[in-house]
Amino acid sequence: CFTAAEAAKLTMKRIVESLEASSGTGITGISTGIGILDNITGGLNNGDLVIVAGRASMGKTSFDIGLQVTGLRNNVATGFISAEMPVNKVAARVMSAWGRFNLTWTRSIPKDAETQARAMHALLESQKWLGQAPLHINDKPGITIAEVARQARQWKRLYDIKVLHVDYIQFLDISADARTPRHEKVGMIVKGLKNLAKELNIPVVALSQVSRAVEDRNNKRPMMSDLSDSSEIEKTADVVITLYRDEVYNQDSADKGIIELGVIKNRDGATGVVRAAWVAEHATVADIDTMHGEYHGY
């Protein structure tokens, strides 16, 4: 138990420590790499459960990989539970996002000599970087929330991870009666992730599906009620960010290359929509203000 004075002192101590660790960025958490989003959320903050939600092909994993690469560039020790994607594909996406080269190069090297030379240089440089990056990956299929917690505690103890990413909630499992409804299982998983964030005092970023109901509306931007399987996500999450790319639905969209990041819940701050750049070649998301000249190195 704490007195009010002790709680206030502890709060100020943590704020000062966070600001000192932010290297002059002025935010209290780990930077997302997208300035306006950082201004709204303060970055990824310790103890917070951050939900990133979107329909298929909206870029959930790409956005999350972008968050990871931003942190890794700043030497933020990162744990990644990849329940959907095998480790080789995770590495390919991380390398492409960091090296800013075409993701297809991780599957098929161009045949012309000049492009092939650039591709190999990019691949080798990104492999070298990733080999030294403080990233730890568990790609076990069907992993349970209990196993996620054990893995995260181990990473915290051995490598002092500063953030945990989970891709994604609906791919996790839980030891429960087979008759337990799916929405109740998801609710237990979400509570488990939130408890883990508090226990380890790190942000946990978890991806989530969005209901098919959005496909039946004219405005297909996800709302809180569209989060799949459980209202517990809405109640438990500290921050909820939805993703929307108009070009997925409208071939002639004026917003090609744009992804909308809808901060629809922010327990400690404002909400709003942030427009960011969708960089299809690297399957990642970038700050529009810094994209020009930065994401075309290869």
Side-chain angles (χ1 to χ4, degrees):
C1 295
F2 298 91
T3 66
E6 289 170 337
K9 185 176 180 180
L10 180 61
T11 297
M12 286 305 301
K13 179 176 181 290
R14 288 182 175 174
I15 290 173
V16 170
E17 288 175 348
S18 296
L19 288 172
E20 288 175 347
S22 68
S23 303
T25 61
I27 61 173
T28 55
I30 298 168
S31 175
T32 64
I34 299 172
I36 299 176
L37 185 60
D38 282 348
N39 291 341
I40 292 176
T41 64
L44 307 175
N45 287 278
N46 289 342
D48 279 1
L49 174 60
V50 179
I51 300 295
V52 177
R55 289 290 295 146
S57 301
M58 281 298 156
K60 295 187 296 295
T61 300
S62 297
F63 176 66
D64 188 56
I65 292 291
L67 296 180
Q68 293 182 46
V69 170
T70 295
L72 293 170
R73 287 182 187 278
N74 295 308
N75 206 36
V76 174
T78 301
F80 184 26
I81 303 294
S82 181
E84 180 185 26
M85 191 180 299
V87 66
N88 61 304
K89 291 190 175 182
V90 172
R93 282 174 170 256
V94 172
M95 289 165 63
S96 174
W98 178 83
R100 295 163 182 153
F101 60 80
N102 198 310
L103 179 60
T104 62
W105 289 359
T106 64
R107 300 189 298 270
S108 176
I109 299 294
K111 292 183 178 180
D112 68 280
E114 182 180 349
T115 308
Q116 188 175 102
R118 288 191 291 120
M120 288 306 300
H121 174 73
L123 287 162
L124 289 171
E125 285 297 306
S126 60
Q127 179 193 20
K128 179 181 177 181
W129 168 79
L130 184 56
Q132 300 172 342
L135 175 62
H136 311 280
I137 304 166
N138 184 325
D139 69 343
K140 179 183 177 181
I143 191 169
T144 67
I145 184 61
E147 291 173 321
V148 169
R150 283 196 295 271
Q151 179 67 90
R153 291 182 188 116
Q154 182 185 59
W155 282 337
K156 184 66 175 177
R157 184 177 69 255
L158 297 177
Y159 309 112
D160 193 23
I161 61 168
K162 302 299 184 184
V163 60
L164 178 70
H165 293 259
V166 178
D167 185 6
Y168 54 86
I169 288 173
Q170 285 80 11
F171 262 71
L172 302 186
D173 204 348
I174 191 164
S175 299
D177 191 307
R179 294 168 295 180
T180 303
R182 178 63 182 167
H183 71 276
E184 289 186 17
K185 291 184 178 181
V186 171
M188 289 185 274
I189 289 167
V190 171
K191 287 179 181 177
L193 292 175
K194 174 58 182 176
N195 289 338
L196 192 59
K198 289 178 64 178
E199 175 191 337
L200 302 183
N201 193 32
I202 61 174
V204 173
V205 181
L207 309 191
S208 177
Q209 290 177 331
V210 164
S211 167
R212 292 180 180 273
V214 299
E215 308 291 343
D216 299 325
R217 301 197 302 258
N218 289 331
N219 185 346
K220 294 177 171 53
R221 292 168 176 82
M223 302 182 294
M224 192 73 79
S225 58
D226 295 319
L227 298 180
S228 291
D229 294 315
S230 179
S231 61
E232 194 63 47
I233 297 175
E234 177 181 351
K235 291 186 290 186
T236 304
D238 297 282
V239 177
V240 177
I241 301 171
T242 60
L243 307 185
Y244 175 80
R245 291 195 294 125
D246 193 62
E247 64 184 294
V248 173
Y249 297 107
N250 303 307
Q251 187 175 359
D252 299 323
S253 174
D255 280 341
K256 286 187 176 180
I258 297 295
I259 184 168
E260 294 181 15
L261 313 176
V263 183
I264 61 174
K265 180 180 180 181
N266 185 11
R267 198 184 299 277
D268 296 322
T271 58
V273 176
V274 177
R275 288 164 61 85
W278 168 254
V279 190
E281 294 85 355
H282 316 142
T284 192
V285 176
D287 192 321
I288 289 178
D289 293 334
T290 60
M291 184 187 70
H292 183 69
E294 183 179 353
Y295 277 79
H296 301 284
Y298 293 103

